[in-house]
Amino acid sequence: MQLLAAGWSACFIGAMRQAVADKRVRFPADAYMDTGVDLVLGEDGYNLHARLNSLLPGIEREVALDIAEAAHQTCPYSKATMGNINVDINVL
């Protein structure tokens, strides 16, 4: 799960860099991504749950959230897991 989280973080940062171009803002040099993947027990057995926490200093919260949502639509890890893993997207 840690390897999935590490790869997803790197991929998601790249997708956010792409999304920033559409928003006409500069991607912060000190951007930070913290991704966690947990194994959780639900009614239908064990499942994965991911938390994608991004920090984009200097970018307004609403714009940063739009960037994160856009990245979630283009990141290959997000696309591969969409509908299979519960994902929380947070902007810190």
Side-chain angles (χ1 to χ4, degrees):
M1 287 184 288
Q2 290 175 336
L3 187 56
L4 173 61
W8 203 339
S9 283
C11 183
F12 204 83
I13 281 267
M16 285 195 302
R17 284 183 190 277
Q18 291 293 120
V20 162
D22 296 336
K23 301 292 180 190
R24 299 178 191 227
V25 295
R26 175 175 268 181
F27 192 79
D30 54 349
Y32 179 77
M33 191 73 210
D34 178 46
T35 301
V37 178
D38 300 311
L39 183 63
V40 295
L41 180 59
E43 292 180 14
D44 59 341
Y46 287 99
N47 296 295
L48 295 178
H49 182 199
R51 293 172 320 283
L52 303 174
N53 301 315
S54 59
L55 177 63
L56 299 173
I59 297 179
E60 293 179 23
R61 181 169 170 63
E62 286 302 316
V63 174
L65 191 54
D66 287 345
I67 291 167
E69 290 290 342
H72 187 53
Q73 299 303 313
T74 60
C75 171
Y77 277 77
S78 293
K79 288 166 54 171
T81 59
M82 204 164 288
N84 297 313
I85 295 177
N86 291 327
V87 178
D88 295 328
I89 298 173
N90 304 302
V91 174
L92 308 174

